[in-house]
Amino acid sequence: MRAIRVFFFVILAVVLMLLAAANRQLVTVSLVPEALAPFAGGQWSLTMPAFVALFLAMVFGVLLGLVWEWIRESHLRAESSRRAHDLAQLQREVGDLRRTHAAPRDDVLAILDEPRKPTAAPAGTGSTLPAPR
């Protein structure tokens, strides 16, 4: 599995290096349309190589997707947390019931529940055989 992961990252690195080598020309990226730039104040454009703009767009897309999924799955995390809380509560209740069930009971009932011990042979016979008929 580790070899497959390393192979994947090597292929990805080669593809990204080829992409960077093929897109070295400079591009200007504007964050605000030129018509609105005087109202926004300041310079809202950057000049950079095309591969940097492409890599930044990919990183921004991945981060946006991660945040989107994290927000989308928030109800699943809440449900999981609620179920974990319920499970812990049920485990506490079962533990309490086991301790209550194993607790000493009423003395009379405890005597009745004890297993009967075999009776000893009458003294003086010296034999444990059944009595003759």
Side-chain angles (χ1 to χ4, degrees), residues 83-99:
R83 287 186 182 208
H85 177 65
D86 291 347
L87 178 64
Q89 182 180 359
L90 289 172
Q91 286 174 339
R92 281 192 305 270
E93 288 178 11
V94 167
D96 290 344
L97 287 173
R98 284 184 179 155
R99 282 189 295 278

Side-chain angles (χ1 to χ4, degrees), residues 105-122:
R105 292 175 268 164
D106 185 23
D107 292 337
V108 173
L109 293 175
I111 292 171
L112 291 175
D113 287 342
E114 284 181 8
R116 295 185 183 229
K117 296 178 186 171
T119 56

Side-chain angles (χ1 to χ4, degrees), residues 10-33:
V10 167
I11 295 297
L12 182 65
V14 168
V15 167
L16 290 178
M17 286 190 291
L18 289 174
L19 186 69
N23 294 294
R24 290 181 299 171
Q25 64 273 15
L26 295 177
V27 294
T28 301
V29 178
S30 297
L31 299 176
V32 177

